[in-house]
Every structure is written in C-alpha cells, then in structure tokens.
Amino acid sequence: MKSFHVTTFGCQMNEHDSERMKGMLESLGYAEAAARDDADLILFNTCSIREKADDRFVAHLYEARALKRRDPERVIGVGGCWAQSQKDAVFRQFPFVDVAFGPGQVHKLAEFLTADSLTAQGFFEFEGFTGHLPAKREREFQAWIQISAGCNMKCAFCIVPTTRGREVSRPFEELVAEIEVLAADGVKEVTLLGQNVNSYGLGLRPQPRRFSELLYAVDAITGIERIRYTSPHPAHMREDVIRAHAELDSVCDHIHLPLQSGSSRVLKRMRRTYGRERFMDRVALIREHVPDCAITTDIIVGFPGETESDFRETLEVAEEVGFDGAFTFIYSPRKDTEAAAFSDEFIPHEVAVERMERLVEVVQRRARERAQRFVGRTLDVLVEGASRQDPTRLRGRSSHNKVVNFDGLGEPGEIVPVTIASATSQTLAGEASFLSRLS
Ligand code: SAH
Ligand code: F3S
C-alpha cells in the first residue's frame, strides 16, 4: 500500500482542504504515514498570506528534496495558495516538484496520481469548488464546512482574491444536507468557513440566501450543539446575524471581526469599505444584543503610509473595544496586490516592530481584563482531550472560544460544566462542577 504525508501551513481553510486531501487519498487506497520520511507521496498545503509563511515552507520543501534524492520514486506535491501564486514558476524554481495545484484543484491530485505516467503537472483553474471530497476529520465531534470559496473584496494588502478567485457560495440545501449527515455521524460542533462568510448566499440563483438563514437552518439540525464561523467582514456584519447569536442556543458567543486598523484614513487606503465609526457601531450592536459575546480580531500594523497618529487610533480602538483576543500582523507586501505598489510609503521594519510591541501590550492587557468576567462562573466546556501542559487535566473550549484547562472527568466530545477559578489573556482554568450538572 502506498503512503502519504501532508504538511499544512496557514489558515483553517487550508486545514480543511488538507482534510479533504487526506480523505481523497484514503479513498484511492493510500494510507497516512506518521512521518514525512516514510511517505511515498509528500504533500504540502501552502500559504502565502505573508512573506514569513513562504520562507517557512521553502525550508520544508528542501527537506523533501533531500528525501527524494535518497528515493527518487517519491512524489512531491505542492498545493494551496503559495502554489497558486507561483503557478508554473514552481517547476522552474523547484524542478523536483512533481505536481502543483491551487486551492480549488485538490480533486485534480487524484487525476494526476491515477494517470498512467507521472510527468510534472500543474493545475491552477478557478472552478469555485473543489468537488465533493470525503474529509478525514481530525476530531470526530468537530467539523469544518466550507460555505463559500474566494473573495470579491479588494483589500489592498490581501493576496487571497488572487489565489482563491471570485466568491462562489455553495448551494444552501447541499450544505444543510451535508451537516445533517455529519450530525448523524457524531459531529456536535461545526465551523462554517469562508473568506467573507456573511456575504454568503447573495449570489445564489434562482434563490439568493442570507448567511443568517443558514445559521437558523443549521441550528435546527438535531445533534448540532455549537455553530462557529470565520470570518465575517465588518462592512457586511448585519443585525440579522447578530440577532441569530442572541436567539439561537447553538450559535456560539464569539465573533471574530477583523479590524485591520483603527484609523479611518488607513482603512480607506486598505479598501476595507468601513471606517472606525462603523466598526465601533458593529461592536455596540453586538454588545447590545449579546452582552457576553467574545469579540476577537485581526490587526495589521505598518500598512504603507501609516503615521504615528493613525497607529494611535488603532491603539485607541483596541483599548476601547477590549478584544477578547487578537491576531496581530506586521504588514507584508504581497505580489499583485494594490498596496505592494505603495513602496515609497513602506514603514521601516524597526518602526513596525515598535508599534507591534505597543499594540500587543494593549491587546493582552485588555484580553486579560476581559477574561476576569469568567472567574467564578460556570461555563459549558466542550472537552477536546488532555491539557497540553498537564496531561492529568483536561482541555476544552467554552462557547466564547476560550481554551479552558480543568480538573475533572469527561470524554472528548462531551460538554461539561466547569467552574472557572482563574483567567489569563489566553486561557481559563477551573474545575468540573458535577453538582451543577445534576441540578
Ligand atoms: N477575510 C479573510 C482574511 C484572511 S487573511 C478571513 O478572515 O477569513 C487573515 C488575516 O491576515 C487578515 O485579516 C489580515 O489581518 C492578515 N493579512 C492579510 N494580508 C496581509 C498582509 N499582506 N500583511 C500582513 N497581514 C495580512
Ligand atoms: Fe482578503 Fe479582504 Fe477578502 S482580507 S480575503 S480581500 S475580505
């Protein structure tokens, strides 16, 4: 039997694409190898969102070349966004690569592997969806569902529209049917994935749909206890979606709302289509309907032309909102994006690093403060397994997407009440409270 090994870089969408690669390979009779050295087929699912992602990946790719030199029968495949952004240049630069494919072309890998002769080949069309591939789930009780592919926004810093193409939504009924099957198979928590999830469905024909409709339909499926989604766009975050959080038990108390910058001037140059006020207004609306909702975000520092006073506005927004968590990034110019042409306004790296440090201080302090509201409360925690630091304890997540490490009993997939004793900016700690479970 042939074996494969997949290394995944980047976002949850890639994690999910890798699950589909694995499912497809197993249906072709391949088995997953524990280590790269043992695999006949070495695959990389790549990311190109920032330059660092590229560099990390290339080091891995050279390791695969060394393995192939020892055993020239091995096949090396490169999929995902980096592959798409390089297209055929992959084969010029890395001639030991056998097959390369973009994020929408996972199914072509099967075609390649089952062909009579393996000559190097690339697949980079945009077909919207990568076909119906069985996914190999990492955990039995959690599943990712890709509801749309691509993105129609034109954020000046972002390579995603280039690597994943125009937005296409999957048919509503198909998604509901797929989640019904997953629920019957033991899935309790679903995460709906898209680059801009709340523009889901608007382009569907004959009947356009709304993202909130999908939330209601998924909530109605027996067995689905938790619904998450990522990411909504602040400009498209409408009241109906926020109301769904308030009205539906299964929709988690967490919204990831990418801010990018607190300065309306910078947001405009980023082509984010909202300003500071609109963002704050969305936060107010969320807090009005779902006061306890966790709000997390993405922030970029050092976007070309960002002044000290622009940056201070970002600090102000971070201070004012008090995010429960934030991913912070230093701007990284990407090929074929609008902002890459603003090179005369690039911010010196030392300045960006210094701003990043100031931002992280505010973000972490506010997240730690926000997390104190959980201390003394009992939260429902979906058990994921043993705690990473201390295997005698358990680890799970609250509806707010907070990692909770706790003492007590519980099987992976079970939802147990945990009384929170302490909180840091990142994690909560506590003890399972079986009494409250009985009452
Ligand atoms: N709409 C997508 C965005 C994916 S990219 C989603 O959230 O699903 C994830 C984050 O990476 C962005 O929100 C942004 O903060 C950051 N990012 C994207 N391009 C970047 C770049 N060129 N430099 C630095 N950070 C970037
Ligand atoms: Fe990128 Fe903006 Fe779309 S961040 S994925 S272009 S919403």
Side-chain angles (χ1 to χ4, degrees), residues 11 13 48-50 151 157-160 194-196 230-233 256 258 260 272 298-301 327 329-334 337:
C11 63
M13 194 75 88
S48 60
I49 197 80
R50 287 167 294 272
C151 184
F157 51 81
C158 185
I159 199 173
V160 170
Q195 299 302 335
N196 180 356
T230 198
S231 291
H233 189 289
H256 183 72
Q260 312 303 359
R272 288 291 287 177
D298 293 343
I299 300 172
I300 297 178
V301 299
F327 295 110
F329 308 104
I330 288 181
Y331 169 73
S332 166
R334 303 282 62 202
T337 59

PDB file of all heavy atoms in Angstrom, residues 11 13 48-50 151 157-160 194-196 230-233 256 258 260 272 298-301 327 329-334 337, ligand 1:
ATOM      1  N   CYS A  11      -4.204  28.934   7.239  1.00  0.00           N
ATOM      2  CA  CYS A  11      -5.484  29.167   7.916  1.00  0.00           C
ATOM      3  C   CYS A  11      -6.324  27.896   8.066  1.00  0.00           C
ATOM      4  O   CYS A  11      -5.971  26.822   7.589  1.00  0.00           O
ATOM      5  CB  CYS A  11      -6.269  30.201   7.127  1.00  0.00           C
ATOM      6  SG  CYS A  11      -6.692  29.643   5.464  1.00  0.00           S
ATOM      7  N   MET A  13      -9.031  27.297   6.587  1.00  0.00           N
ATOM      8  CA  MET A  13      -9.487  26.840   5.276  1.00  0.00           C
ATOM      9  C   MET A  13      -8.483  25.805   4.728  1.00  0.00           C
ATOM     10  O   MET A  13      -8.867  24.795   4.156  1.00  0.00           O
ATOM     11  CB  MET A  13      -9.572  28.040   4.328  1.00  0.00           C
ATOM     12  CG  MET A  13     -10.316  27.785   3.069  1.00  0.00           C
ATOM     13  SD  MET A  13     -12.085  27.721   3.327  1.00  0.00           S
ATOM     14  CE  MET A  13     -12.528  29.434   3.148  1.00  0.00           C
ATOM     15  N   SER A  48       0.292  31.794   1.504  1.00  0.00           N
ATOM     16  CA  SER A  48       1.133  32.889   1.006  1.00  0.00           C
ATOM     17  C   SER A  48       0.649  34.221   1.547  1.00  0.00           C
ATOM     18  O   SER A  48       0.926  35.260   0.985  1.00  0.00           O
ATOM     19  CB  SER A  48       1.111  32.911  -0.515  1.00  0.00           C
ATOM     20  OG  SER A  48      -0.216  33.105  -0.946  1.00  0.00           O
ATOM     21  N   ILE A  49      -0.069  34.191   2.668  1.00  0.00           N
ATOM     22  CA  ILE A  49      -0.695  35.423   3.162  1.00  0.00           C
ATOM     23  C   ILE A  49       0.365  36.449   3.558  1.00  0.00           C
ATOM     24  O   ILE A  49       0.179  37.637   3.348  1.00  0.00           O
ATOM     25  CB  ILE A  49      -1.696  35.107   4.309  1.00  0.00           C
ATOM     26  CG1 ILE A  49      -2.636  36.280   4.540  1.00  0.00           C
ATOM     27  CG2 ILE A  49      -1.028  34.724   5.602  1.00  0.00           C
ATOM     28  CD1 ILE A  49      -3.760  36.369   3.579  1.00  0.00           C
ATOM     29  N   ARG A  50       1.461  35.991   4.142  1.00  0.00           N
ATOM     30  CA  ARG A  50       2.578  36.879   4.473  1.00  0.00           C
ATOM     31  C   ARG A  50       3.877  36.215   4.058  1.00  0.00           C
ATOM     32  O   ARG A  50       3.931  35.000   3.892  1.00  0.00           O
ATOM     33  CB  ARG A  50       2.600  37.162   5.990  1.00  0.00           C
ATOM     34  CG  ARG A  50       1.504  38.100   6.450  1.00  0.00           C
ATOM     35  CD  ARG A  50       1.355  38.106   7.951  1.00  0.00           C
ATOM     36  NE  ARG A  50       0.879  36.820   8.428  1.00  0.00           N
ATOM     37  CZ  ARG A  50      -0.406  36.477   8.528  1.00  0.00           C
ATOM     38  NH1 ARG A  50      -1.343  37.317   8.211  1.00  0.00           N
ATOM     39  NH2 ARG A  50      -0.738  35.278   8.942  1.00  0.00           N
ATOM     40  N   CYS A 151     -13.106  35.397  -2.786  1.00  0.00           N
ATOM     41  CA  CYS A 151     -13.487  36.656  -2.152  1.00  0.00           C
ATOM     42  C   CYS A 151     -13.619  37.750  -3.199  1.00  0.00           C
ATOM     43  O   CYS A 151     -12.757  37.888  -4.053  1.00  0.00           O
ATOM     44  CB  CYS A 151     -12.436  37.058  -1.118  1.00  0.00           C
ATOM     45  SG  CYS A 151     -12.911  38.538  -0.208  1.00  0.00           S
ATOM     46  N   PHE A 157      -4.106  45.003   0.782  1.00  0.00           N
ATOM     47  CA  PHE A 157      -2.955  44.232   1.263  1.00  0.00           C
ATOM     48  C   PHE A 157      -3.058  42.747   0.945  1.00  0.00           C
ATOM     49  O   PHE A 157      -2.107  42.001   1.124  1.00  0.00           O
ATOM     50  CB  PHE A 157      -2.821  44.390   2.788  1.00  0.00           C
ATOM     51  CG  PHE A 157      -4.109  44.113   3.539  1.00  0.00           C
ATOM     52  CD1 PHE A 157      -4.500  42.811   3.814  1.00  0.00           C
ATOM     53  CD2 PHE A 157      -4.928  45.154   3.942  1.00  0.00           C
ATOM     54  CE1 PHE A 157      -5.688  42.554   4.483  1.00  0.00           C
ATOM     55  CE2 PHE A 157      -6.125  44.912   4.619  1.00  0.00           C
ATOM     56  CZ  PHE A 157      -6.501  43.598   4.888  1.00  0.00           C
ATOM     57  N   CYS A 158      -4.220  42.291   0.464  1.00  0.00           N
ATOM     58  CA  CYS A 158      -4.547  40.857   0.559  1.00  0.00           C
ATOM     59  C   CYS A 158      -4.378  40.090  -0.754  1.00  0.00           C
ATOM     60  O   CYS A 158      -4.884  40.492  -1.801  1.00  0.00           O
ATOM     61  CB  CYS A 158      -5.978  40.715   1.061  1.00  0.00           C
ATOM     62  SG  CYS A 158      -6.435  39.008   1.353  1.00  0.00           S
ATOM     63  N   ILE A 159      -3.724  38.959  -0.656  1.00  0.00           N
ATOM     64  CA  ILE A 159      -3.449  38.136  -1.836  1.00  0.00           C
ATOM     65  C   ILE A 159      -4.571  37.125  -2.104  1.00  0.00           C
ATOM     66  O   ILE A 159      -4.629  36.519  -3.178  1.00  0.00           O
ATOM     67  CB  ILE A 159      -2.081  37.415  -1.658  1.00  0.00           C
ATOM     68  CG1 ILE A 159      -1.540  36.935  -3.003  1.00  0.00           C
ATOM     69  CG2 ILE A 159      -2.187  36.278  -0.653  1.00  0.00           C
ATOM     70  CD1 ILE A 159      -0.134  36.381  -2.945  1.00  0.00           C
ATOM     71  N   VAL A 160      -5.478  36.964  -1.119  1.00  0.00           N
ATOM     72  CA  VAL A 160      -6.488  35.903  -1.235  1.00  0.00           C
ATOM     73  C   VAL A 160      -7.322  35.970  -2.529  1.00  0.00           C
ATOM     74  O   VAL A 160      -7.519  34.944  -3.191  1.00  0.00           O
ATOM     75  CB  VAL A 160      -7.389  35.845   0.022  1.00  0.00           C
ATOM     76  CG1 VAL A 160      -8.577  34.925  -0.181  1.00  0.00           C
ATOM     77  CG2 VAL A 160      -6.582  35.392   1.227  1.00  0.00           C
ATOM     78  N   GLY A 194     -15.433  30.655   5.334  1.00  0.00           N
ATOM     79  CA  GLY A 194     -15.468  31.447   4.105  1.00  0.00           C
ATOM     80  C   GLY A 194     -14.570  32.644   4.302  1.00  0.00           C
ATOM     81  O   GLY A 194     -14.266  33.003   5.445  1.00  0.00           O
ATOM     82  N   GLN A 195     -14.145  33.286   3.229  1.00  0.00           N
ATOM     83  CA  GLN A 195     -13.298  34.475   3.378  1.00  0.00           C
ATOM     84  C   GLN A 195     -14.120  35.646   3.880  1.00  0.00           C
ATOM     85  O   GLN A 195     -13.607  36.564   4.485  1.00  0.00           O
ATOM     86  CB  GLN A 195     -12.636  34.840   2.043  1.00  0.00           C
ATOM     87  CG  GLN A 195     -11.738  33.760   1.481  1.00  0.00           C
ATOM     88  CD  GLN A 195     -10.622  33.380   2.425  1.00  0.00           C
ATOM     89  OE1 GLN A 195     -10.214  34.155   3.274  1.00  0.00           O
ATOM     90  NE2 GLN A 195     -10.117  32.168   2.286  1.00  0.00           N
ATOM     91  N   ASN A 196     -15.400  35.622   3.557  1.00  0.00           N
ATOM     92  CA  ASN A 196     -16.288  36.717   3.952  1.00  0.00           C
ATOM     93  C   ASN A 196     -17.636  36.044   4.173  1.00  0.00           C
ATOM     94  O   ASN A 196     -18.523  36.122   3.344  1.00  0.00           O
ATOM     95  CB  ASN A 196     -16.306  37.721   2.782  1.00  0.00           C
ATOM     96  CG  ASN A 196     -17.195  38.906   3.053  1.00  0.00           C
ATOM     97  OD1 ASN A 196     -17.868  38.973   4.088  1.00  0.00           O
ATOM     98  ND2 ASN A 196     -17.220  39.835   2.134  1.00  0.00           N
ATOM     99  N   THR A 230     -16.094  31.662  10.542  1.00  0.00           N
ATOM    100  CA  THR A 230     -14.991  32.594  10.370  1.00  0.00           C
ATOM    101  C   THR A 230     -14.728  32.787   8.892  1.00  0.00           C
ATOM    102  O   THR A 230     -14.803  31.831   8.146  1.00  0.00           O
ATOM    103  CB  THR A 230     -13.747  32.099  11.147  1.00  0.00           C
ATOM    104  OG1 THR A 230     -12.856  33.165  11.328  1.00  0.00           O
ATOM    105  CG2 THR A 230     -13.054  30.930  10.513  1.00  0.00           C
ATOM    106  N   SER A 231     -14.450  34.052   8.469  1.00  0.00           N
ATOM    107  CA  SER A 231     -14.601  35.284   9.225  1.00  0.00           C
ATOM    108  C   SER A 231     -15.666  36.152   8.588  1.00  0.00           C
ATOM    109  O   SER A 231     -15.789  36.141   7.369  1.00  0.00           O
ATOM    110  CB  SER A 231     -13.305  36.089   9.129  1.00  0.00           C
ATOM    111  OG  SER A 231     -12.260  35.511   9.798  1.00  0.00           O
ATOM    112  N   PRO A 232     -16.372  36.910   9.397  1.00  0.00           N
ATOM    113  CA  PRO A 232     -17.275  37.895   8.830  1.00  0.00           C
ATOM    114  C   PRO A 232     -16.492  39.166   8.507  1.00  0.00           C
ATOM    115  O   PRO A 232     -15.399  39.382   9.032  1.00  0.00           O
ATOM    116  CB  PRO A 232     -18.261  38.149   9.956  1.00  0.00           C
ATOM    117  CG  PRO A 232     -17.481  37.916  11.195  1.00  0.00           C
ATOM    118  CD  PRO A 232     -16.411  36.898  10.865  1.00  0.00           C
ATOM    119  N   HIS A 233     -17.034  40.003   7.663  1.00  0.00           N
ATOM    120  CA  HIS A 233     -16.404  41.277   7.319  1.00  0.00           C
ATOM    121  C   HIS A 233     -17.224  42.373   8.010  1.00  0.00           C
ATOM    122  O   HIS A 233     -18.452  42.360   7.895  1.00  0.00           O
ATOM    123  CB  HIS A 233     -16.445  41.437   5.794  1.00  0.00           C
ATOM    124  CG  HIS A 233     -15.650  42.600   5.308  1.00  0.00           C
ATOM    125  ND1 HIS A 233     -16.046  43.887   5.517  1.00  0.00           N
ATOM    126  CD2 HIS A 233     -14.480  42.659   4.641  1.00  0.00           C
ATOM    127  CE1 HIS A 233     -15.143  44.703   4.989  1.00  0.00           C
ATOM    128  NE2 HIS A 233     -14.188  43.983   4.454  1.00  0.00           N
ATOM    129  N   HIS A 256     -15.501  36.758  15.467  1.00  0.00           N
ATOM    130  CA  HIS A 256     -14.176  37.229  15.040  1.00  0.00           C
ATOM    131  C   HIS A 256     -14.415  38.307  13.998  1.00  0.00           C
ATOM    132  O   HIS A 256     -14.915  38.022  12.914  1.00  0.00           O
ATOM    133  CB  HIS A 256     -13.377  36.055  14.451  1.00  0.00           C
ATOM    134  CG  HIS A 256     -11.985  36.466  14.059  1.00  0.00           C
ATOM    135  ND1 HIS A 256     -11.009  36.740  14.991  1.00  0.00           N
ATOM    136  CD2 HIS A 256     -11.421  36.677  12.849  1.00  0.00           C
ATOM    137  CE1 HIS A 256      -9.892  37.088  14.369  1.00  0.00           C
ATOM    138  NE2 HIS A 256     -10.115  37.063  13.067  1.00  0.00           N
ATOM    139  N   PRO A 258     -12.555  41.153  11.978  1.00  0.00           N
ATOM    140  CA  PRO A 258     -11.233  41.718  11.680  1.00  0.00           C
ATOM    141  C   PRO A 258     -11.244  43.240  11.492  1.00  0.00           C
ATOM    142  O   PRO A 258     -11.874  43.753  10.581  1.00  0.00           O
ATOM    143  CB  PRO A 258     -10.833  41.009  10.373  1.00  0.00           C
ATOM    144  CG  PRO A 258     -11.693  39.782  10.319  1.00  0.00           C
ATOM    145  CD  PRO A 258     -12.987  40.190  10.948  1.00  0.00           C
ATOM    146  N   GLN A 260      -8.315  45.341  11.328  1.00  0.00           N
ATOM    147  CA  GLN A 260      -7.161  45.718  10.469  1.00  0.00           C
ATOM    148  C   GLN A 260      -6.511  47.016  10.906  1.00  0.00           C
ATOM    149  O   GLN A 260      -5.297  47.061  11.075  1.00  0.00           O
ATOM    150  CB  GLN A 260      -7.505  45.782   8.973  1.00  0.00           C
ATOM    151  CG  GLN A 260      -8.276  44.596   8.417  1.00  0.00           C
ATOM    152  CD  GLN A 260      -7.624  43.234   8.606  1.00  0.00           C
ATOM    153  OE1 GLN A 260      -6.536  43.122   9.153  1.00  0.00           O
ATOM    154  NE2 GLN A 260      -8.285  42.169   8.170  1.00  0.00           N
ATOM    155  N   ARG A 272     -11.126  48.811   2.859  1.00  0.00           N
ATOM    156  CA  ARG A 272     -11.914  47.934   3.722  1.00  0.00           C
ATOM    157  C   ARG A 272     -13.408  48.248   3.677  1.00  0.00           C
ATOM    158  O   ARG A 272     -14.207  47.507   4.238  1.00  0.00           O
ATOM    159  CB  ARG A 272     -11.395  48.007   5.166  1.00  0.00           C
ATOM    160  CG  ARG A 272     -10.053  47.317   5.368  1.00  0.00           C
ATOM    161  CD  ARG A 272     -10.164  45.819   5.238  1.00  0.00           C
ATOM    162  NE  ARG A 272     -10.830  45.217   6.391  1.00  0.00           N
ATOM    163  CZ  ARG A 272     -11.096  43.911   6.492  1.00  0.00           C
ATOM    164  NH1 ARG A 272     -10.795  43.085   5.505  1.00  0.00           N
ATOM    165  NH2 ARG A 272     -11.675  43.443   7.568  1.00  0.00           N
ATOM    166  N   ASP A 298      -8.384  40.757  13.901  1.00  0.00           N
ATOM    167  CA  ASP A 298      -7.075  40.758  13.237  1.00  0.00           C
ATOM    168  C   ASP A 298      -6.666  42.211  13.058  1.00  0.00           C
ATOM    169  O   ASP A 298      -7.500  43.040  12.669  1.00  0.00           O
ATOM    170  CB  ASP A 298      -7.168  40.181  11.810  1.00  0.00           C
ATOM    171  CG  ASP A 298      -7.511  38.700  11.772  1.00  0.00           C
ATOM    172  OD1 ASP A 298      -7.372  38.019  12.797  1.00  0.00           O
ATOM    173  OD2 ASP A 298      -7.920  38.240  10.682  1.00  0.00           O
ATOM    174  N   ILE A 299      -5.407  42.517  13.329  1.00  0.00           N
ATOM    175  CA  ILE A 299      -4.919  43.892  13.154  1.00  0.00           C
ATOM    176  C   ILE A 299      -3.581  43.861  12.410  1.00  0.00           C
ATOM    177  O   ILE A 299      -2.725  43.025  12.699  1.00  0.00           O
ATOM    178  CB  ILE A 299      -4.734  44.601  14.520  1.00  0.00           C
ATOM    179  CG1 ILE A 299      -6.073  44.668  15.275  1.00  0.00           C
ATOM    180  CG2 ILE A 299      -4.147  46.004  14.333  1.00  0.00           C
ATOM    181  CD1 ILE A 299      -5.978  45.171  16.703  1.00  0.00           C
ATOM    182  N   ILE A 300      -3.452  44.769  11.455  1.00  0.00           N
ATOM    183  CA  ILE A 300      -2.184  44.902  10.723  1.00  0.00           C
ATOM    184  C   ILE A 300      -1.509  46.194  11.180  1.00  0.00           C
ATOM    185  O   ILE A 300      -2.163  47.240  11.203  1.00  0.00           O
ATOM    186  CB  ILE A 300      -2.440  44.975   9.201  1.00  0.00           C
ATOM    187  CG1 ILE A 300      -3.073  43.668   8.712  1.00  0.00           C
ATOM    188  CG2 ILE A 300      -1.145  45.264   8.450  1.00  0.00           C
ATOM    189  CD1 ILE A 300      -3.417  43.664   7.223  1.00  0.00           C
ATOM    190  N   VAL A 301      -0.236  46.123  11.557  1.00  0.00           N
ATOM    191  CA  VAL A 301       0.498  47.369  11.833  1.00  0.00           C
ATOM    192  C   VAL A 301       1.487  47.614  10.710  1.00  0.00           C
ATOM    193  O   VAL A 301       1.964  46.684  10.053  1.00  0.00           O
ATOM    194  CB  VAL A 301       1.260  47.365  13.184  1.00  0.00           C
ATOM    195  CG1 VAL A 301       0.302  47.191  14.348  1.00  0.00           C
ATOM    196  CG2 VAL A 301       2.341  46.310  13.210  1.00  0.00           C
ATOM    197  N   PHE A 327      -5.251  38.618  16.642  1.00  0.00           N
ATOM    198  CA  PHE A 327      -4.082  38.227  15.862  1.00  0.00           C
ATOM    199  C   PHE A 327      -3.492  39.512  15.307  1.00  0.00           C
ATOM    200  O   PHE A 327      -4.197  40.291  14.657  1.00  0.00           O
ATOM    201  CB  PHE A 327      -4.472  37.306  14.709  1.00  0.00           C
ATOM    202  CG  PHE A 327      -5.025  35.989  15.160  1.00  0.00           C
ATOM    203  CD1 PHE A 327      -6.370  35.689  14.976  1.00  0.00           C
ATOM    204  CD2 PHE A 327      -4.218  35.050  15.788  1.00  0.00           C
ATOM    205  CE1 PHE A 327      -6.890  34.472  15.407  1.00  0.00           C
ATOM    206  CE2 PHE A 327      -4.734  33.833  16.222  1.00  0.00           C
ATOM    207  CZ  PHE A 327      -6.070  33.549  16.031  1.00  0.00           C
ATOM    208  N   PHE A 329      -0.449  41.427  13.072  1.00  0.00           N
ATOM    209  CA  PHE A 329       0.493  41.140  11.986  1.00  0.00           C
ATOM    210  C   PHE A 329       1.230  42.406  11.575  1.00  0.00           C
ATOM    211  O   PHE A 329       0.638  43.490  11.548  1.00  0.00           O
ATOM    212  CB  PHE A 329      -0.250  40.633  10.742  1.00  0.00           C
ATOM    213  CG  PHE A 329      -1.185  39.488  11.017  1.00  0.00           C
ATOM    214  CD1 PHE A 329      -2.556  39.693  11.067  1.00  0.00           C
ATOM    215  CD2 PHE A 329      -0.700  38.204  11.233  1.00  0.00           C
ATOM    216  CE1 PHE A 329      -3.438  38.645  11.315  1.00  0.00           C
ATOM    217  CE2 PHE A 329      -1.572  37.150  11.496  1.00  0.00           C
ATOM    218  CZ  PHE A 329      -2.936  37.375  11.530  1.00  0.00           C
ATOM    219  N   ILE A 330       2.491  42.242  11.210  1.00  0.00           N
ATOM    220  CA  ILE A 330       3.211  43.346  10.579  1.00  0.00           C
ATOM    221  C   ILE A 330       2.910  43.254   9.087  1.00  0.00           C
ATOM    222  O   ILE A 330       2.955  42.155   8.511  1.00  0.00           O
ATOM    223  CB  ILE A 330       4.727  43.240  10.857  1.00  0.00           C
ATOM    224  CG1 ILE A 330       4.978  43.577  12.328  1.00  0.00           C
ATOM    225  CG2 ILE A 330       5.523  44.160   9.924  1.00  0.00           C
ATOM    226  CD1 ILE A 330       6.434  43.534  12.745  1.00  0.00           C
ATOM    227  N   TYR A 331       2.588  44.388   8.484  1.00  0.00           N
ATOM    228  CA  TYR A 331       2.260  44.389   7.059  1.00  0.00           C
ATOM    229  C   TYR A 331       3.391  43.749   6.249  1.00  0.00           C
ATOM    230  O   TYR A 331       4.562  44.030   6.446  1.00  0.00           O
ATOM    231  CB  TYR A 331       2.024  45.825   6.566  1.00  0.00           C
ATOM    232  CG  TYR A 331       1.939  45.877   5.057  1.00  0.00           C
ATOM    233  CD1 TYR A 331       0.813  45.384   4.393  1.00  0.00           C
ATOM    234  CD2 TYR A 331       3.009  46.351   4.304  1.00  0.00           C
ATOM    235  CE1 TYR A 331       0.753  45.369   3.019  1.00  0.00           C
ATOM    236  CE2 TYR A 331       2.951  46.345   2.915  1.00  0.00           C
ATOM    237  CZ  TYR A 331       1.831  45.854   2.278  1.00  0.00           C
ATOM    238  OH  TYR A 331       1.776  45.819   0.913  1.00  0.00           O
ATOM    239  N   SER A 332       2.990  42.909   5.326  1.00  0.00           N
ATOM    240  CA  SER A 332       3.953  42.207   4.474  1.00  0.00           C
ATOM    241  C   SER A 332       3.498  42.392   3.017  1.00  0.00           C
ATOM    242  O   SER A 332       2.386  41.998   2.669  1.00  0.00           O
ATOM    243  CB  SER A 332       3.939  40.735   4.894  1.00  0.00           C
ATOM    244  OG  SER A 332       4.574  39.914   3.963  1.00  0.00           O
ATOM    245  N   PRO A 333       4.315  43.053   2.197  1.00  0.00           N
ATOM    246  CA  PRO A 333       3.868  43.301   0.814  1.00  0.00           C
ATOM    247  C   PRO A 333       3.734  42.002   0.033  1.00  0.00           C
ATOM    248  O   PRO A 333       4.610  41.139   0.114  1.00  0.00           O
ATOM    249  CB  PRO A 333       4.988  44.172   0.224  1.00  0.00           C
ATOM    250  CG  PRO A 333       6.102  44.170   1.204  1.00  0.00           C
ATOM    251  CD  PRO A 333       5.645  43.585   2.485  1.00  0.00           C
ATOM    252  N   ARG A 334       2.628  41.863  -0.686  1.00  0.00           N
ATOM    253  CA  ARG A 334       2.379  40.660  -1.467  1.00  0.00           C
ATOM    254  C   ARG A 334       2.266  41.008  -2.935  1.00  0.00           C
ATOM    255  O   ARG A 334       1.605  41.971  -3.316  1.00  0.00           O
ATOM    256  CB  ARG A 334       1.082  39.981  -0.993  1.00  0.00           C
ATOM    257  CG  ARG A 334       1.032  39.615   0.478  1.00  0.00           C
ATOM    258  CD  ARG A 334       1.806  38.362   0.842  1.00  0.00           C
ATOM    259  NE  ARG A 334       3.237  38.419   0.598  1.00  0.00           N
ATOM    260  CZ  ARG A 334       3.996  37.346   0.448  1.00  0.00           C
ATOM    261  NH1 ARG A 334       3.485  36.155   0.483  1.00  0.00           N
ATOM    262  NH2 ARG A 334       5.280  37.469   0.246  1.00  0.00           N
ATOM    263  N   THR A 337      -0.741  42.769  -5.377  1.00  0.00           N
ATOM    264  CA  THR A 337      -1.774  43.441  -4.581  1.00  0.00           C
ATOM    265  C   THR A 337      -1.564  44.940  -4.726  1.00  0.00           C
ATOM    266  O   THR A 337      -0.455  45.392  -5.020  1.00  0.00           O
ATOM    267  CB  THR A 337      -1.673  43.066  -3.085  1.00  0.00           C
ATOM    268  OG1 THR A 337      -0.378  43.448  -2.612  1.00  0.00           O
ATOM    269  CG2 THR A 337      -1.882  41.583  -2.853  1.00  0.00           C
TER     270      THR A 337
HETATM  271  N1  SAH B   1     -11.198  37.592   5.096  1.00  0.00           N
HETATM  272  C1  SAH B   1     -10.225  36.636   5.500  1.00  0.00           C
HETATM  273  C2  SAH B   1      -8.867  37.203   5.696  1.00  0.00           C
HETATM  274  C3  SAH B   1      -7.860  36.152   5.612  1.00  0.00           C
HETATM  275  S1  SAH B   1      -6.275  36.725   5.892  1.00  0.00           S
HETATM  276  C4  SAH B   1     -10.693  35.921   6.709  1.00  0.00           C
HETATM  277  O1  SAH B   1     -10.538  36.437   7.812  1.00  0.00           O
HETATM  278  O2  SAH B   1     -11.182  34.834   6.576  1.00  0.00           O
HETATM  279  C5  SAH B   1      -6.183  36.738   7.666  1.00  0.00           C
HETATM  280  C6  SAH B   1      -5.566  37.995   8.195  1.00  0.00           C
HETATM  281  O3  SAH B   1      -4.236  38.120   7.743  1.00  0.00           O
HETATM  282  C7  SAH B   1      -6.235  39.277   7.718  1.00  0.00           C
HETATM  283  O4  SAH B   1      -7.394  39.573   8.430  1.00  0.00           O
HETATM  284  C8  SAH B   1      -5.150  40.291   7.911  1.00  0.00           C
HETATM  285  O5  SAH B   1      -5.174  40.841   9.203  1.00  0.00           O
HETATM  286  C9  SAH B   1      -3.866  39.483   7.736  1.00  0.00           C
HETATM  287  N2  SAH B   1      -3.215  39.789   6.462  1.00  0.00           N
HETATM  288  C10 SAH B   1      -3.674  39.559   5.219  1.00  0.00           C
HETATM  289  N3  SAH B   1      -2.809  40.007   4.296  1.00  0.00           N
HETATM  290  C11 SAH B   1      -1.764  40.534   4.974  1.00  0.00           C
HETATM  291  C12 SAH B   1      -0.544  41.155   4.575  1.00  0.00           C
HETATM  292  N4  SAH B   1      -0.238  41.338   3.317  1.00  0.00           N
HETATM  293  N5  SAH B   1       0.304  41.563   5.549  1.00  0.00           N
HETATM  294  C13 SAH B   1       0.003  41.396   6.865  1.00  0.00           C
HETATM  295  N6  SAH B   1      -1.137  40.819   7.281  1.00  0.00           N
HETATM  296  C14 SAH B   1      -2.013  40.389   6.357  1.00  0.00           C
END
